[in-house]
Each structure stands twice: as structure tokens, then as C-alpha cells.
Amino acid sequence: MAMSMPAIRLPELPAWLSDNRSSNAPVTFDRGFIIIALTMYLVGLIMVASSSMPIGEKLFNNPFHFVIRHAIYIGLSLFIAAIALRVEMQMWHKSSWVLLLLAMFLLVAVLLIGRSVNGSTRWIMVGPINIQAAEPAKLFFFCYLSAYLVRRRDEVMDNFKGFFKPLLVLFLLAVLLLLEPDLGTVIVMGATALGLLFLAGAKLWQFIAIVGVVLSAFVMLVIYEPYRLRRVTSFLDPWQDQFGSGYQLTQSLMAYGRGEFFGQGLGNSIQKLDYLPEAHTDFVMAVVGEEFGFLGIFCLLALCLTLVIKALLLGRRALEKEKYFEGFFAYAIGIWLSFQTAVNVGASAGVFPTKGLTMPLISYGGSSMIVMTLAIVILIRIDHELRLQSIQATATGGRK
């Protein structure tokens, strides 16, 4: 007599892992952000491994020193991302003042107890971890500015007082940053703040006045500090003093030149062999250019551009749904990512003076990696909440 076997019930995959095309379950988050971020993590790990081995062998007698630390930073970033992803945007909004005060506290603390490297005091040592105070300060200031625009948008659009108030906060942060000194972060924060104020509806004449003041202040800062003046003059003609103030830029330009269109191949860079300083941090894109050529640079910049466009489109979608804090915050992150990428690549290619800014999610650096990951997590959370809002609206309409 035939015996019937009991039916075996297989465990179902989570909805976000399921590839079942017949399922009508709505997608509640944008997978594109995750794919782009993981791709940039992988590219960054490979390029840090390629560019840091000579300096790791020289300084620590271990060619994998920076690679191991960078991998730990990625793992720590993903762990923090898993926690931050559960934080609602309303909590970011309510905590904007607290985060701004925390940013100021960190910038003051780094001046008092910070560690100096190459003449700059930018890092706070917490056990084996170095925290670069300027990195969270950028994110926290943009959070505060987004919340301010929600409260005072009409004032920003109607009079100069509303436009000027957040710039006073930026001025205070800029003073603390310039004491480190860190002019590059000041420029990124200033450009992002002005871009966000413009998108919020501030008048054009206000921008002309502020830009005039900022440019005048920048010129005075450059003239006041001899090392900044040397950077500007060496940037204009690095070959005039190619073994002095123009050394780093000339080595970077040679790396780009050797790469040509297709590059020399992974691991075949010569400039990273103790010729190009900071090859694994500020000038990692020069090594990318030498090993993968114009094609590699183009693909990486296209990836960054896709991330920026997605952030800006997300901001517009949030504003259309009257989620103003979320919209302004997404705009700020998009402007920030685009400007910092442009400054990093431009500095290594001789378009801008060197500013000490990392390439987002590519360069070696724990603080930058964690903060940039948090920025992308915020974008994912904004998209998630907008999708849930649409799903709930559709369900409510269907019941009616």
C-alpha cells in the first residue's frame, strides 16, 4: 500500500530577498542606494589595498596594515548603518539642535585634546580609534540647517535676516575649523549651505552679497597663512617648484599621465611606491587613474554622479509630498557628496588647490567612511518613509 509522504514546508525568504515576480508586495526601499554603496566600498577596499601597501611596509613593516584597518572601518560602518537605519527621520528632525551642539563640542574638544598630524590638529584619540571631528560636524550642521529651513523658510525667502541666521552658525563652526586648521571642510560646508539656501528660495542678490564677502575672506585667509599661499601658487604652476611646494601635485599629474585611457593595470602604479604622498587617502584617485586610466576614472565618477542624482531626485520627491525636512536633508547630502567629490578629484588633477578632502567611500579613513555611510543610510530611510506613506495612502484610498 502506497504511503503518502508529509508535505515539507520550506521557510520563506524575507520579502526584500525574494525574487518572486508574481508577488504584489510593494518595495519599501531603494535597492539602488545599497548597490552603489557596496560597489564603492569594494572599489575603495581594492584601491586602498593597492595604494597603501608600500607605505604600510615602510611605516609598520606590514603591507596589509591599512587594508586591514580599512576593512574594519567598512564593517564598523555597516554595523552602525544597521542601527541608524531604524532611526526615524522625525528623530533626526527633533535632535537637530542637540547634534549641532555635539558638533561644536567635538570641534572644541579637538582643539584642546586633539592629536596633531602634519601641523594640523584634527583627530581625537579614543583608544585605538582616531575620530576626525570635522566629519560628523558636516553631517550634523546639514541636519540643523534642514530643520531651520522647515521652521524659517518664509523668513529666508522674504528678508535677509532669515538668510543670514544660519550663516552665523556656519561662521562659528568655520572659526573652530580654521583653528585646526581645516579650510577644505569650511569650503565644503559653505558651498553646501549656500546651495541649500538657494534651493529653499533665497533671493539672488543675497547670494551675490554673501559670495562677495566669502571670496574676500578666502583671499585674506590665503594671504594671511604662508602655507596656503604656497599651495595656491604651486597649484597654478606646480612645475615651477616640482621638488618643493609643487611636489605632490606633479607626482599626481604624472600618475594620471601614465594611466592614459586604459591604465597600467591593477597593482602596476609606480607613483604609489613612495613617490606620491597620501596615495591611499587624499590622492587615491590619482592611483585609480594610473592603474585604470581614463576609463576607470570615468566609471567611478559615473557611479558617484548616479548617487548624487538619486539624492537630489529624492529630495525633490520629498518636497512634493510636503516632507520638507527630509527633502532639504536629501538635497544637502546630494550637494555635499557632489562638491566633495569634485574638490577631491579636482585637487589631484590640478584643477583646485590641495584641500585634504577624502574621496567619499573610496579613500582610507574611518571617520569619513562612517559619516558617509550614515549619509547614505539617511537617504535610504527618507526613501523608505516616502514609500510607506504612498502605500498607506493607496491602502486608505482603496478602503474608501
Side-chain angles (χ1 to χ4, degrees):
M1 183 172 60
M3 297 181 62
S4 59
M5 294 292 293
I8 300 176
R9 183 179 178 84
L10 296 175
E12 296 182 1
L13 288 174
W16 64 279
L17 283 177
S18 177
D19 210 16
N20 186 1
R21 300 293 181 182
S22 62
S23 175
N24 294 323
V27 178
T28 59
F29 66 96
D30 189 346
R31 293 171 173 81
F33 285 118
I34 297 176
I35 294 172
I36 292 173
L38 291 178
T39 303
M40 295 181 74
Y41 281 146
L42 180 60
V43 172
L45 184 62
I46 292 172
M47 292 315 304
V48 167
S50 177
S51 58
S52 69
M53 285 187 177
I55 191 69
E57 179 69 31
K58 177 182 177 181
L59 297 178
F60 302 98
N61 199 29
N62 179 10
F64 299 103
H65 174 82
F66 293 104
V67 187
I68 295 171
R69 290 176 68 89
H70 193 71
I72 293 173
Y73 291 147
I74 291 176
L76 182 60
S77 298
L78 293 175
F79 174 74
I80 294 174
I83 298 173
L85 197 57
R86 305 183 67 86
V87 179
E88 297 180 356
M89 292 309 302
Q90 184 180 7
M91 184 62 67
W92 285 96
H93 191 177
K94 290 180 178 179
S95 305
S96 59
W97 265 105
V98 177
L99 294 176
L100 178 65
L101 293 176
L102 178 59
M104 292 182 177
F105 171 78
L106 290 173
L107 292 177
V108 172
V110 77
L111 296 175
L112 299 176
I113 60 172
R115 183 171 69 97
S116 296
V117 177
N118 297 328
S120 298
T121 307
R122 301 180 184 178
W123 292 268
I124 301 173
M125 295 189 66
V126 182
I129 301 175
N130 292 327
I131 300 175
Q132 189 172 356
E135 293 298 331
K138 285 185 280 191
L139 181 65
F140 296 163
F141 171 69
F142 299 146
C143 179
Y144 156 78
L145 183 56
S146 301
Y148 173 84
L149 290 174
V150 174
R151 298 191 306 269
R152 305 287 186 180
R153 188 180 182 189
D154 292 337
E155 190 177 344
V156 169
M157 296 172 64
D158 293 337
N159 59 67
F160 188 76
K161 182 181 178 182
F163 176 82
F164 192 67
K165 282 180 181 178
L167 295 183
L168 287 176
V169 177
L170 175 62
F171 175 76
L172 179 58
L173 294 174
V175 170
L176 295 173
L177 287 164
L178 290 173
L179 291 174
E180 295 184 7
D182 190 353
L183 181 60
T185 298
V186 173
I187 292 174
V188 169
M189 291 174 67
T192 304
L194 289 176
L196 189 55
L197 288 168
F198 180 78
L199 291 174
K203 293 181 174 60
L204 184 60
W205 69 266
Q206 297 172 339
F207 283 95
I208 296 174
I210 291 297
V211 169
V213 172
V214 169
L215 288 178
S216 301
F218 176 75
V219 171
M220 292 180 65
L221 286 171
V222 169
I223 296 174
Y224 178 74
E225 287 288 351
Y227 83 93
R228 291 190 187 121
L229 185 59
R230 286 195 300 271
R231 279 189 176 185
V232 173
T233 54
S234 64
F235 142 73
L236 294 173
D237 187 9
W239 302 102
Q240 187 176 8
D241 188 14
Q242 58 181 307
F243 297 108
S245 59
Y247 177 78
Q248 193 173 30
L249 182 54
T250 55
Q251 297 300 315
S252 178
L253 293 174
M254 283 189 280
Y256 278 113
R258 290 192 72 251
E260 297 182 348
F261 194 86
F262 293 106
Q264 300 294 320
L266 179 62
N268 292 329
S269 168
I270 292 178
Q271 298 308 120
K272 70 183 181 184
L273 302 177
D274 211 17
Y275 293 105
L276 175 62
E278 309 297 336
H280 60 298
T281 56
D282 303 342
F283 283 78
V284 69
M285 290 299 287
V287 180
V288 173
E290 186 175 5
E291 297 188 349
F292 293 98
F294 171 80
L295 186 61
I297 294 290
F298 176 82
C299 291
L300 199 50
L301 290 182
L303 201 63
C304 294
L305 180 61
T306 303
L307 181 59
V308 169
I309 291 175
K310 286 177 69 65
L312 296 178
L313 291 177
L314 177 62
R316 186 179 69 177
R317 183 154 55 93
L319 292 180
E320 289 174 350
K321 295 188 176 182
E322 299 183 353
K323 306 285 281 187
Y324 295 110
F325 171 75
E326 291 82 351
F328 290 135
F329 208 175
Y331 273 149
I333 292 172
I335 298 170
W336 168 28
L337 288 172
S338 63
F339 196 79
Q340 182 157 329
T341 299
V343 171
N344 176 272
V345 178
S348 65
V351 179
F352 303 120
T354 55
K355 283 283 162 260
L357 292 173
T358 58
M359 181 67 182
L361 299 181
I362 303 295
S363 297
Y364 172 82
S367 299
S368 176
M369 176 72 68
I370 292 171
V371 171
M372 284 295 177
T373 301
L374 273 176
I376 294 177
V377 164
I378 289 169
L379 294 175
I380 296 172
R381 182 72 202 191
I382 293 172
D383 176 79
H384 172 68
E385 292 188 5
L386 291 178
R387 290 172 186 250
L388 286 183
Q389 184 182 25
S390 298
I391 293 170
Q392 291 169 359
T394 302
T396 303
R399 285 196 296 269
K400 289 180 180 179

